[in-house]
Amino acid sequence: MSRRSVLFSPGDQPELLRKAPRSGADTVVFDLEDAVTPDRKAEARAAVRAVLSDPDFDPDCEVTVRVNAGRVAETDLDAILGDDTRLDAVVVPKVAAAEDVASVADSLAEAGRSVPIVALIESAAGVLHAEEIADADATDALVFGAEDLAADLGATRTTEGTEVLYAREHVVLAASAAGIDAIDTLYTDFDDTEGLAEDTAFGLELGYDGKLAIHPAQVPVINDAFTPAPERVEWARRVLSAREEAEQAGRGVFQVDGEMIDAPLIAQAETVRARATAAGVWKS
């Protein structure tokens, strides 16, 4: 499963919840937290439950819900879960320790459900504990939240993003070490397509597997950035084909296009294949 693009949709707007999967996003997040004001939480829970339990709602993308932080998460889950509820994962905000993941996993278990948890790392404590959060049994992905982190630190957000660069790198390292997905922070100016493309490309260079989106218009830009270019796909195909020949000949190192290929480059080729397969551009 690919999570190139992860699109948030306000939980109190049923028409947007139903439209979100048509954006082309790999993952949609029905948001019960920041996108919903306190006086509309109950209305949002009811709206999300209605959509998730609708038998006609069966999109191809991953369908998740972002619950509220702390004990309110249990209230959210009690309201939206049922035998007829479509729920592929739960997004947990403001995760500061592995116990935050375990608490939501326990609430799911009590409701008779077991789904992956996507942990939002958006505080100083979360960044410092990213490794243990990534290693928690239920954690399936880490998401870096730069805006909340900057607020927690009292940092000033800049276009360059140097004030959060260490944390951005730390989160992707923790996710990679645990063998789970790393989802990059959102780009807040959804009218700035060029800026989004550049920021997404930088996240890809850091090692991220996908990126948050707050508007459907951002989805194609993000998906395109995480879809390998045709020449990169062909390079990976040649490397993996040559590897099979080398293994049959008992050779651990081989050449492709005049370049010596060893384990790190093979790993890169396998990553390209996985991303190309998820994007539907890798043909067997």
Side-chain angles (χ1 to χ4, degrees):
M1 179 189 63
S2 173
R3 293 188 177 113
R4 296 170 301 170
S5 50
V6 179
L7 175 65
F8 281 84
S9 189
D12 60 347
Q13 299 188 42
E15 69 283 359
L16 295 184
L17 299 179
R18 294 182 181 277
K19 287 173 60 177
R22 299 201 292 270
S23 67
D26 291 330
T27 299
V28 294
V29 183
F30 293 172
D31 193 5
L32 295 175
E33 196 214 15
D34 286 348
V36 180
T37 58
D39 62 322
R40 290 179 62 85
K41 297 289 186 184
E43 183 176 346
R45 293 178 186 119
V48 168
R49 169 64 185 267
V51 174
L52 295 181
S53 60
D54 184 349
D56 293 329
F57 181 75
D58 188 26
D60 292 334
C61 63
E62 181 183 39
V63 179
T64 73
V65 173
R66 175 163 72 169
V67 296
N68 287 275
R71 299 304 303 173
V72 184
E74 187 173 346
T75 303
D76 293 334
L77 293 173
D78 286 343
I80 67 171
L81 288 179
D83 294 338
D84 57 349
T85 302
R86 160 76 181 270
L87 185 63
D88 301 322
V90 173
V91 179
V92 182
K94 299 176 177 60
V95 176
E99 289 78 8
D100 297 332
V101 172
S103 176
V104 174
D106 288 344
S107 295
L108 285 165
E110 290 173 4
R113 300 293 288 269
S114 176
V115 299
I117 289 177
V118 176
L120 264 164
I121 308 300
E122 47 190 345
S123 67
V127 172
L128 292 177
H129 297 138
E131 292 95 331
E132 67 180 59
I133 295 168
D135 282 334
D137 290 341
T139 305
D140 196 56
L142 296 186
V143 180
F144 176 54
E147 306 307 319
D148 282 276
L149 174 64
D152 187 49
L153 296 174
T156 300
R157 288 291 277 128
T158 64
T159 303
E160 297 78 15
T162 52
E163 69 284 352
V164 295
L165 181 56
Y166 165 77
R168 194 176 184 183
E169 294 173 329
H170 187 77
V171 168
V172 74
L173 282 170
S176 179
I180 62 175
D181 287 342
I183 311 301
D184 197 15
T185 190
L186 57 82
Y187 189 80
T188 57
D189 187 353
F190 55 81
D191 288 324
D192 182 9
T193 301
E194 183 177 345
L196 171 62
E198 292 176 356
D199 193 58
T200 306
F202 181 62
L204 178 60
E205 291 174 357
L206 291 179
Y208 277 93
D209 301 293
K211 190 170 182 65
L212 300 181
I214 54 172
H215 192 281
Q218 294 182 313
V219 170
V221 179
I222 294 171
N223 282 350
D224 184 63
F226 281 99
T227 300
E231 58 271 20
R232 188 67 171 163
V233 173
E234 289 308 310
W235 170 83
R237 191 183 298 279
R238 290 195 297 273
V239 168
L240 296 177
S241 177
R243 178 187 62 177
E244 292 181 6
E245 296 176 3
E247 288 177 345
Q248 292 174 3
R251 292 182 283 111
V253 179
F254 52 93
Q255 289 189 33
V256 171
D257 301 335
E259 180 182 30
M260 293 301 298
I261 305 295
D262 55 8
L265 289 177
I266 292 172
Q268 289 183 29
E270 290 174 336
T271 297
V272 171
R273 178 174 61 184
R275 287 175 174 161
T277 299
V281 298
W282 184 278
K283 307 301 180 183
S284 301

